[in-house]
Amino acid sequence: MAQYRRVSGSVGLITLQNPPVNALSASVRQGIVDSVKRALGDQKVKSVVICGQNGVFCGGADIREFGRQMSGPPLVPMIHDIEAANKPVVAAIEGSALGGGLELALGCHYRISHSKAVVYHCFIMTMSDQAKLGLPEVTLGLLPAAGGTQRLPRLIGVPAALNLITTGRHVTAAEALQLGILDHVTEHNTVDVAVKFALSVTGESLDGRRISSFSCAPLSDLDSLFEEAMLKVRSAARGAIAPVACVQAVRAAATLPYAQGMEREKELMATLFHSGQARALQYFFFAQRAVGRWSTPSGARWDTSQPRPVRKAAVIGLGTMGRGITVALAQAGLSVVAVETHAKQLMEATKAVPSMLKRGAVRGGTTIEPDSITYSQNLQAVADVDLVIEAVFEDMALKEKVFQQLSIICKPDTLLCTNTSSLDVDHLASQTRHPELVVGMHFFAPAHVMKLLEVVYGRRSSPAAVATAMQLGKKMGKVSVAVGNCRGFAGNRMLKRYLEQAFFLLEEGATPELVDRALEEFGFPMGVFRMSDLSGLDVGWRVRKADGLADTSLTGTSARVRQGCRYSPLGDLLCEHGRFGQKTGRGWYQYDKPGGRVAKSDPWLHNFLDEYRARHGLVPRCIDQQEVLERCLFVLINEGFQILEEGIAAGPEDIDAIYVFGYGWPRHRGGPMFYADMVGLERVVERLERYHQAHPDVPYLQPSGLLRRLVANGSPPIHKWRNVIKNRNSQL
């Protein structure tokens, strides 16, 4: 709804009321229409101010209405009526003006926003108290369809509008003022300032204040500008259609009269609104919020557990991952003790970490004083911390020793966390005096940049310990997803199957280029082999050797079989040739030099594959991109269903969040579990069965029991899957 009252004698004040963000629901739109009509019809009212309740102007459309029959006044005519008003209308922006909220503000004649003074959190200066403005519809597979693509370019120019609309990024009040979106910013009470301003412009002509009457600023070569914009957007979008439609809509603003531009905006929106990509992105919008609520498949809730306060944390091990974790903790405002027992590694870290902090500060527009980090070569330095994150080399014996020592050194109530990517958290907990205080915190490299944090809940982990790790992840700006303890947890366990199928495809006749091209055209930022080269082939090799799998001395049929199942030694053989990827300049591709980033097809690798196939009697066949996608993605999805069946993850949303934020799954495809729902569970089952018949020595190609049960239950939509899996025992 919207509250209306008259203030200062002649100003009609309209306050949007729909907590928490005053979204433009049907009732709010009706309230605005009624209030504007009342204000314009009141002879005592000379001007109008629109604001939001509780310090938030408007967070945009109510996304919950998207899947239902729309009711209430439509947004576009409402904004047109505001703009056409014969009395000045001022938007008083606090908190945020996003999407439809900013479009509403653009329909007003003036815009005033809030900008508090700079505040400090420990050693990091932030501008978090400034209002945020933006048109983020593209992140939901849509475009700003209430005039946003037509008014914003007319107000701030085509290049700046293209940047905001195609990326959906938010800008601060200061940047919005500089761009020309705002007329004024204030550090005082925004509504009071807006009311005084509204009084000052009473009676002034509004002819030059209606943005729809503006023309876009002329540009010397409009065609080239839009060609470049389209190339840039297509490259960054990786198959997403909404950014492309945004460019087309802005072009209409630059080349057509306003009324025709609005018609083009409407046509493009109609195409997007019911698209599969919009469904996927809107599903993911809610999925990423659902994972933070921690509801388990059994119905229990963890979010009632009180997280412990963490003011001082420690990181053990200052390799690449440990450094990133140290930076992430420091950026979150914690005091950090960084421990590295090797002198050379410690010295390198004392130089690298401040440099990483400085680069992050430049990107974020902050200033830093990195004296909240203390470095030590002695494990005793962690004696008084609230939480420890172990990030030493991925070796169980080494980690056992560290946890045994931490259990003696640390306070009895200190939380002990491990950054292991696959090792047994329960076993590490058994090395301590208080196993209930041990959880996994699996970061993704680079740890200070990547958004995902897998919080691993061991069998003896207390809900309070998990709640603390989840809350700390949130404080670091991570999307924290709780998972049960198993080999590889959720993400890497699924990834293992994906990688194995990629290797098998090479054995059967594919090339790294073919496999990567199929995956990148699907929307991944990198195909499996380019990503392996980036990560380092030796990382997986060490794991396989530790598991007793990487034995290339075997001959005959034994060379391609491990534990009774098909196995590909291709990765092991490459590593034996010293080809570790980008770091050595050779891997699945060749690079100009060690550390090079441009992957080039490698004739040596192709000859190597030919010789390998001949040695093992493998006749190469033609493999198309469809088979690549089905083999790699459906087996990954099948493992996801197995994880849900075992209770390792609470629901499909958790798996989808893990894969979008941690593994580059294209957001506009919603995540692997949503993609299975979109493709059709029956088709996933049918294709898996077909591939299992062709490859009976790959048992995990058999559809999981949960997947079959869902099909037997009529393939319910993804939001009803929990009804099928709710009665099983959760590992969480």
Side-chain angles (χ1 to χ4, degrees):
M1 59 177 290
Q3 181 191 68
Y4 174 81
R5 60 193 175 101
R6 185 154 50 90
V7 298
S8 297
S10 62
V11 177
L13 181 63
I14 301 171
T15 305
L16 312 187
Q17 297 180 330
N18 185 15
V21 297
N22 299 320
L24 292 167
S25 63
S27 61
V28 172
R29 297 195 304 275
Q30 187 65 61
I32 295 172
V33 169
D34 294 343
S35 297
V36 168
K37 183 177 180 181
R38 183 176 173 184
L40 297 182
D42 187 343
Q43 293 185 354
K44 293 181 180 179
V45 172
K46 305 302 181 183
S47 55
V48 180
V49 170
I50 301 177
C51 67
Q53 188 182 46
N54 297 328
V56 178
F57 180 70
C58 179
D62 188 342
I63 191 173
R64 293 169 297 184
E65 292 185 348
F66 286 6
R68 305 196 298 262
Q69 183 69 34
M70 297 292 282
S71 61
L75 190 57
V76 171
M78 183 189 85
I79 294 175
H80 279 155
D81 288 346
I82 290 171
E83 188 183 55
N86 58 5
K87 299 176 182 180
V89 182
V90 182
I93 299 172
E94 294 179 308
S96 61
L98 301 175
L102 180 55
E103 289 176 301
L104 171 63
L106 292 173
C108 297
H109 306 117
Y110 301 93
R111 287 157 295 282
I112 293 174
S113 186
H114 188 255
S115 176
K116 276 187 182 176
V118 173
V119 294
Y120 288 85
H121 297 287
C122 293
F123 62 90
I124 300 180
M125 180 186 77
T126 72
M127 302 294 285
S128 59
D129 285 307
Q130 290 200 48
K132 297 287 186 182
L133 298 87
L135 295 172
E137 285 86 350
V138 69
T139 64
L140 297 175
L142 305 172
L143 54 74
T149 68
Q150 301 306 298
R151 285 191 177 91
L152 192 63
R154 287 173 162 82
L155 180 63
I156 67 172
V158 167
L162 274 172
N163 174 266
L164 294 186
I165 294 171
T166 60
T167 64
R169 77 180 182 92
H170 302 172
V171 297
T172 63
E175 185 177 355
L177 179 67
Q178 186 178 24
L179 287 170
I181 299 174
L182 298 174
D183 298 291
H184 181 65
V185 297
T186 179
E187 294 180 8
H188 303 291
N189 184 289
T190 313
V191 176
D192 290 347
V193 172
V195 168
K196 291 178 182 177
F197 181 84
L199 290 169
S200 72
V201 295
T202 296
E204 291 188 7
S205 172
L206 297 174
D207 291 343
R209 303 303 309 179
R210 298 183 177 99
I211 299 172
S212 64
S213 66
F214 296 4
S215 296
C216 288
L219 296 165
S220 58
D221 194 345
L222 203 62
D223 289 339
S224 294
L225 172 70
F226 279 102
E227 285 174 11
E228 290 175 11
M230 191 64 81
L231 285 172
K232 182 178 179 180
V233 160
R234 288 187 188 279
S235 175
R238 302 196 302 272
I241 58 176
V244 173
C246 287
V247 174
Q248 295 170 327
V250 173
R251 184 179 187 109
T255 58
L256 297 174
Y258 176 78
Q260 293 180 33
M262 286 296 294
E263 284 300 313
R264 181 61 173 148
E265 180 185 87
K266 183 178 178 181
E267 292 169 4
L268 290 165
M269 181 61 165
T271 301
L272 295 175
F273 193 77
H274 297 292
S275 69
Q277 290 191 11
R279 281 179 54 201
L281 287 161
Q282 289 158 35
Y283 155 81
F284 193 74
F285 175 86
F286 289 112
Q288 115 181 46
R289 284 150 182 79
V291 299
R293 291 198 289 267
W294 318 352
S295 60
T296 69
S298 62
R301 297 186 68 86
W302 301 337
D303 53 0
T304 55
S305 300
Q306 187 66 31
R308 296 186 180 188
V310 178
R311 300 179 182 86
K312 188 174 185 179
V315 178
I316 312 299
L318 295 179
T320 301
M321 189 63 79
R323 296 172 192 176
I325 296 170
T326 300
V327 169
L329 290 168
Q331 288 176 333
L334 274 70
S335 176
V336 186
V337 178
V339 177
E340 173 56 63
T341 57
H342 294 88
K344 182 180 178 183
Q345 188 103 316
L346 179 63
M347 182 61 67
E348 291 173 350
T350 59
K351 297 176 181 178
V353 169
S355 178
M356 293 162 69
L357 280 168
K358 185 176 181 180
R359 288 196 298 272
V362 170
R363 286 194 300 270
T366 61
T367 59
I368 58 169
E369 298 173 11
D371 56 358
S372 69
I373 303 174
T374 58
Y375 300 89
S376 177
Q377 199 173 344
N378 190 341
L379 206 59
Q380 292 288 338
V382 308
D384 64 340
V385 302
D386 303 310
L387 178 144
V388 178
I389 301 175
E390 166 274 310
V392 302
F393 190 72
E394 192 79 343
D395 176 80
M396 180 58 88
L398 176 59
K399 290 180 184 287
E400 285 176 350
K401 183 179 179 182
V402 170
F403 271 80
Q404 290 164 4
Q405 293 175 312
L406 290 174
S407 188
I408 296 170
I409 294 169
C410 293
K411 298 181 297 184
D413 60 348
T414 298
L415 270 69
L416 304 181
C417 308
T418 175
N419 178 55
T420 180
S421 60
S422 63
L423 299 180
D424 189 347
V425 172
D426 291 327
H427 179 73
L428 290 174
S430 72
Q431 306 299 302
T432 71
R433 297 175 178 179
H434 299 283
E436 72 277 6
L437 298 179
V438 176
V439 296
M441 291 185 72
H442 178 208
F443 291 82
F444 288 72
H448 60 300
V449 175
M450 292 292 284
K451 294 280 288 182
L452 178 64
L453 174 67
E454 274 187 319
V455 176
V456 186
Y457 192 179
R459 287 190 179 275
R460 297 181 65 181
S461 302
S462 71
V466 176
T468 303
M470 294 283 280
Q471 182 63 30
L472 179 58
K474 184 177 181 180
K475 191 173 183 178
M476 289 188 285
K478 308 297 183 187
V479 175
S480 302
V481 183
V483 296
N485 180 39
C486 67
R487 186 62 186 265
F489 315 131
N492 281 347
R493 175 173 161 178
M494 293 168 66
L495 184 69
K496 183 174 185 288
R497 303 309 189 197
Y498 170 83
L499 292 170
E500 287 172 345
Q501 284 301 307
F503 284 0
F504 295 161
L505 286 163
L506 293 190
E507 291 185 338
E508 295 165 34
T511 62
E513 293 86 349
L514 169 69
V515 174
D516 283 354
R517 183 165 58 252
L519 294 168
E520 288 166 14
E521 289 181 4
F522 179 79
F524 283 96
M526 282 189 179
V528 59
F529 294 109
R530 284 212 301 141
M531 180 57 70
S532 295
D533 275 0
L534 174 64
S535 301
L537 276 63
D538 53 323
V539 176
W541 188 38
R542 284 197 298 268
V543 174
R544 294 192 297 273
K545 285 196 290 186
D547 291 341
L549 299 175
D551 185 355
T552 56
S553 66
L554 298 173
T555 59
T557 56
S558 299
R560 298 174 52 246
V561 176
R562 300 290 188 277
Q563 301 169 356
C565 302
R566 182 176 174 184
Y567 177 83
S568 174
L570 283 171
D572 306 331
L573 292 167
L574 281 194
C575 287
E576 288 188 350
H577 281 87
R579 298 174 69 97
F580 297 156
Q582 289 185 8
K583 66 179 74 174
T584 58
R586 295 288 187 275
W588 296 107
Y589 296 92
Q590 62 178 335
Y591 302 85
D592 291 336
K593 60 182 179 180
R597 293 178 177 269
V598 180
K600 299 178 182 177
S601 181
D602 190 345
W604 181 94
L605 190 281
H606 289 194
N607 291 334
F608 165 78
L609 289 174
D610 289 340
E611 293 170 2
Y612 173 87
R613 296 177 190 127
R615 184 164 64 253
H616 292 285
L618 300 171
V619 179
R621 60 183 178 83
C622 182
I623 295 173
D624 60 23
Q625 292 194 17
Q626 186 65 28
E627 181 177 351
V628 170
L629 291 178
E630 290 179 346
R631 291 270 296 274
C632 290
L633 302 186
F634 286 4
V635 74
L636 181 147
I637 288 166
N638 195 42
E639 194 69 20
F641 279 110
Q642 190 65 36
I643 284 169
L644 290 176
E645 188 162 27
E646 294 174 15
I648 298 299
E653 301 91 348
D654 299 73
I655 290 175
D656 288 337
I658 286 169
Y659 259 80
V660 169
F661 286 116
Y663 295 87
W665 185 280
R667 189 184 295 239
H668 62 270
R669 296 190 185 273
M673 309 316 290
F674 180 86
Y675 180 68
D677 185 45
M678 286 283 287
V679 169
L681 301 186
E682 301 94 333
R683 176 171 175 78
V684 175
V685 168
E686 183 270 322
R687 301 306 288 173
L688 285 170
E689 287 177 335
R690 175 180 172 182
Y691 289 125
H692 185 242
Q693 290 173 3
H695 307 284
D697 52 353
V698 185
Y700 55 79
L701 281 170
Q702 294 185 72
S704 79
L706 174 58
L707 177 53
R708 290 188 185 279
R709 282 204 309 280
L710 286 165
V711 172
N713 278 270
S715 297
I718 191 168
H719 65 274
K720 294 186 177 181
W721 289 3
R722 289 175 188 259
N723 295 335
V724 177
I725 62 179
K726 65 182 178 181
N727 293 322
R728 59 176 172 69
N729 293 322
S730 173
Q731 300 296 309
L732 297 173

